[in-house]
Amino acid sequence: MIREQVQITPPGSGVPTPFCSPGGITEIEGFADFSRAVRVALDPGLSLGGLASQSAVSLRAEAEQYLTSLKAHPKIWEFCVSLFKRPKELFEPVETFWCCGVLLELIHNDVYASLADSDKAHFESSLMQWANDTCPCLDLQKHQFVQNKFAQLLVITFRNSGYPNRWTSFFEEIFALLPKGMQLIDLWLRILEAIDNYIVDNLHDSRDASSRARNTLIKDTMRVTCIPQITNTWYHILSQYHESRPDLTRQCMQVMSPYFSWIDITLVSSDEWINMLYHFITRVDLRDDAIGCLVELCEKKISDTGSKLQLIQALRITDCMPGLVAQTMMQVRPMLAAGDESFDDGTGFLSRLTDLCQVVSLELIDVISSMLAGEATPSAATMTALNMLHTCVPMLLELLSCGHSGISLKVCEYSIRKYVELLKKHPPPAVPRTHLPQLLNIVVNRLEYHPVAYNFDEQGDYENTVCLLRKQLLIVYRNLASLDRDTVMQQIIDRVRICISSNVTWPQVEATLRILYTFGEELGTAKTSIFKQTDHEFCKLMSELFNSNLAAQHTHQAVSYTFLEVVERYYQFFTTFSETRPLLLQLTLGPSGISHPNPKVRGKACATFASLAKSARQMMSESSDVIVANVERLLAANTLEISDRCALYETVGVLISQSEGKVSQTYKYLKIMSEPLMVNLNAALQAPSDAYSLEVANTTVYLAYLSRGFSGLAAPTMGKVCSDIENEWNRIAQTVVSCSVTYAHIPAVREKVLLFMHRMIDLLGGGVVVYITPLVERLLRCCDISDLSKLVRVPTQLLQRIKGEAVPVVDGFFVPLTQRVFQVTSVEWLGKVSLMHSEQAREHLELLRAYYALLIQATQPECIHLLVTEKSKPMLNTVMETLARGCVSHPEMDVAKTCYQIMNKLAASWYTTLPGFASFLAQQVVPMTLHTVQQESFNSSDAKCYAVIGEIAILYLFLNNAAGPDAFLSALQSTWNLPPEHVALAQQALATGTPKAMKSLIRQWTIVSKQRG
C-alpha cells in the first residue's frame, strides 16, 4: 500500500520528457512523479514504514536518480521558476527547497547569466511573487529551512542580476513587502544576512577580479541609495518587537552589527539608538546581542582621530559600563571564589562586558597614541581621551582581578598589555601613572594559584588557561619592572618580608617568589653590583630570604619548585658571600630540594644543582667533601628517578674532576662515587642472570654520566694522581665491557654500553683499544638496526680521536662491520623515497648516514690506508658502490654532499696510486654527477643542493688538472651533452682553478638538463 503511494515512474531514457504548459503553468509529463520523488528523497518526516530496510534504501536511490536526471533538462529553470508562481495553497516546502537549490546551481553554472533580459525579468518576478503571496503563509517554526534557502537564492540572483543597471527596484520591492507580517520581516533579516555573506564578505574572499568589482559596486550603490532606509527598518523592528518578539529583536541585532563597519555610522549612533541599546542591556534575553552591537560600533574604523573620539563619546560606554561591571561582579564573585569557572548566564555576560571594556580601552589607547604623536603638550581632546581611559582602567583592573581565568586572560593579553605599553612610550606628565600601584598588586594577587581548584598532577583546560594567564601576567610584570624598577623592587621587598614574618598561604608565597624570579631577569647583570653593596635593601632581603625557614615552612611542590628557580637566578648572591656556601647546599640538597617528596621538585633540584655547578663551580668545588657525602646519601636512598640520578652523577663528576687546588682529592672522590656501581657490576658478572640486566644497564649509564666531568686523561697529564685516575677509569671500562659482553643480548644494555664507550674514547683515547675489539665483535652478533647505527659511530669517533693509531684496531673489525651493515640494510633503501618518513625507513637512513660518516673519517690522510689493507681491500668494490649510490639516491642532500666529499678525498689520494681508480672516476663518477642533479627532489636553488653542486665543482677541477683539459672536457661534453658554446664556457671556468665559476655553470646545466627531461 505505502509502496504504491510513493512509487516513482522514472522517465524512460533517464532524461525528463519535454515540458508542456497546459493552463499556463509549466509542467512536466508525470509531474506527480516529481512531487513524490522529492518527498521520498528529501523529506525526513516521510514515513516509509512497512518497507524493508533494503527496499527503503532502493526507493530513495530511485528517487534521487530521477531528480538528478531532471536537473539535466535544458529547460529545468523554467520548471523550477513555475513552482514559485503556483498558488500559495499548493505550497510544498521540500519542493520549494529543492527548486531553490537547483536554481542556485544554475546561477553558479552561468545559466542565469546566459538568459535573455525578458527571461531574467520573469525569473526575478517569479521569486518576488512567491515572497509576496506564499511567504506570509509560512510557519516560521517549521519552514525556517525554506526561508534560509529562498533568501540565499534571492540575494545571489540579485547579486548576479547586473544591479545597479538592472533590477534597480530590488530594495523598493522588498521594503513594500515588510508590512505583510512577521514572515516577511524574518525573510528580510535573512536577506540582509545573505547580503553580508555573499556580497560584502565575498568582496574580500573572491579571487576573481570581476566578482570583486561587481560586489564593490553593489556595496557602494547600497551605501548611497538605500542604507538609510535599511537602518530605518532595523530601528522599526527593534523598537516595535522587543517586547512581543525578543527572538526577532536578537536576530535583527545579530544581522545589523556586521554592517556597522562600512555604513555611515551616524545613522546608528544617535541618542535614540544608543538609549535603545542600553535599555536592551538591562534585559537578560537581549543584553548579549546589545553588547555585541556596541562592540561593533566602537570598533568602527575612522581615520580622523577627532571623529573617532566623538563616536566613543557618543556611545557613552565609559559612563554606563562601570556600574554594569560592578553589579555583575557582585553577582558572580561568590561562584568564582569557589573556583567555579563555568560560563553560566552571569559569567557569560561578564565575558561580553569584558569584550566591550577591552574594545573601548584599546580604541582610546590608539586615539591617545595618535594624538600624542603630533603634540608637544596634550590638547584638550587628548585630555578628554585620557580621562575616559582612566575611567576604563579601574574596570579593567576589576575584571583582571576577578576569579575567572579566561576573563582575566583576555584582559591581560590585550588591553592591560597595551595600556602598559602606552605608559612606557609616554611617561608623565603626558600619561599619568595613577593606577600603577594598584595594577602591580593585582598582577601579583592574580598570579596566585587557587589552592583547591588547580590540579598540579593532571593538566586540564582550566590548568592550561591558568598557565597562559600567568605567562601573560609575568610579561606585564616585566614591562612594569622596566617602567618603574624602584617601585617594583620596593613591592617585592615588602611582600617577601611579609611572607617571611607572617602566616600566609602557600599560593601567596609562590606568587611572591615568582615575581622575585621574574624581577631577576629585569635586573640582569645589575644583580652582581647590588650584592656587592651590603647595605642595599635588596641585598639584605636576599640574605633574609635564604636564611629564613620559608622553604621549610611551605613544602607545597609549587613553592619548592619556584624557590629553587629563585636560588638559580640569584646565584651571584652565593658567589659574592662565600660564607653562604653551606646554605646553598642545604637549599638544593636538603628537604626542600633533592630530598623533596615530589618527583618534579627533585628533578628541578637536580637541574638547579647541575646549573650551579657550572655557574658557581669554584665555590661549589670548595665544598666537595660535603657535596660527595650528601650525594652519596641521596643516591643510597634510592628515591630519585633515573634521569635525576644521571644529573647528580654528572654534576659530581664536574665538581670533583679538575677542582683547582684539590687534584689530590679527585681520585678519592672518584672511588667513593664509582665503588658502589662497581660492586653492582661485579655481582652481575659473578652470577650472570637476566635479572641483573636492568641494574647493569642503569649502572653503565651512571658511570657514563660520571665520566662527563673528566676529559683528556690520555693527554699530557697532572702526574701520578692523574695516572691513578686514568687507571681507575680503565679498570671501570674493562669491567663494563666484560659485563656488556655477557649481557649483550639485552637491548637496554647494548644501548647504554655504546653511550659509555663514546665517553671512554673521549676520556681515554688510545687507552680503549685493548678492549674495544672484543666488545664490537660481540655486539655485531646481536645488535639490531638502531644499535648498529650507534655502533658504527664507535670506530668513527676512535678514528677522529686518535687518527692513524686507530687504524690497526678498526682494521680488525672493519670488514665484518661493513658486512653487518649491509646484512641489516642495503643500498636499495636509498631509493625508497616513498617510505622515507616511516620509522622503519628512518632507521635505515640513519644507519646509512652513520656508515658514510665512518667513511669520511676513514678518508682522512692519516687513516685512508684502512680501506686498502689486506683485510679490507676485498670490500672496496662494495664500499665504492654504496658511495656512488649515496651520491645519487639518498633522499637527504647533506648525505649526498658527504659522499662527494669522500669521493674528492679518495680522488686526491688514489688517482695515481690505486690501479683502475682514474678510469673509475672518468667512466662512472662523472656520469654519476648528472644522475645526482637530475633527481626529482634536486632543486639547484636550495642551499643544500647547491652545496652538492659545490662538491661536484671541486671534483671537476681536480679531474681537469689530473686527466688534462682535453680528456676531461671530452668526458664532460659526452656526459652533459653540451653545445659548443657551453664547452667554451666550461673551459674558461676550469681554467680559473676556483669552484665559484664552475658551480654557477653546473647550476645552469642542471636547469637545462631537467627541462630536457
Side-chain angles (χ1 to χ4, degrees), residues 409 454 459-470:
L409 175 61
Y454 192 92
Q459 294 282 304
D461 291 340
Y462 166 72
E463 287 75 17
N464 290 333
T465 303
V466 170
C467 288
L468 289 173
L469 171 61
R470 282 169 59 90

Side-chain angles (χ1 to χ4, degrees), residues 204 505 657 931:
H204 308 290
T505 63
S657 60
H931 297 314

Side-chain angles (χ1 to χ4, degrees), residues 107 112 117 119-131 150-175 177 187 191 195 199 218 221-222 225-226:
I107 294 173
Y112 170 80
D117 284 350
D119 289 334
K120 288 182 179 177
H122 174 63
F123 191 115
E124 296 153 5
S125 64
S126 299
L127 298 182
M128 296 306 296
Q129 182 177 336
W130 186 89
F150 180 76
Q152 182 184 352
L153 172 62
L154 194 60
V155 168
I156 290 180
T157 303
F158 160 71
R159 184 190 70 183
N160 290 50
S161 66
Y163 181 88
N165 299 318
R166 284 195 68 261
W167 207 359
T168 56
S169 61
F170 174 77
F171 286 104
E172 285 76 9
E173 292 177 52
I174 298 293
F175 293 149
L177 296 175
L187 177 63
I191 288 170
I195 288 173
I199 297 178
I218 294 172
T221 305
M222 287 178 62
T225 59
C226 61

Side-chain angles (χ1 to χ4, degrees), residues 332-351:
V332 302
R333 188 170 278 118
M335 181 182 72
L336 296 176
D340 183 359
E341 295 205 357
S342 58
F343 277 97
D344 67 353
D345 289 341
T347 50
F349 180 56
L350 185 63
S351 180

Side-chain angles (χ1 to χ4, degrees), residues 926 930 956 968-987 990 998 1001-1002 1004-1006 1008-1009 1012:
V926 173
L930 177 62
Y956 283 2
F968 180 66
L969 276 173
S970 176
L972 206 59
Q973 184 177 14
S974 62
T975 296
W976 289 90
N977 192 21
L978 298 176
E981 61 271 18
H982 277 267
V983 174
L985 291 172
Q987 193 171 15
L990 291 167
M998 201 65 220
L1001 201 54
I1002 296 172
Q1004 294 178 40
W1005 296 347
T1006 299
V1008 172
S1009 69
R1012 289 178 190 158

Side-chain angles (χ1 to χ4, degrees), residues 534-565:
T534 54
D535 58 342
H536 196 289
E537 279 301 308
F538 195 76
C539 182
K540 293 179 182 178
L541 174 78
M542 299 309 294
S543 177
E544 293 170 23
L545 173 64
F546 291 137
N547 282 285
S548 72
N549 62 349
L550 188 66
Q553 281 181 334
H554 297 277
T555 58
H556 190 279
Q557 61 174 338
V559 175
S560 299
Y561 193 98
T562 308
F563 199 97
L564 287 166
E565 289 188 305

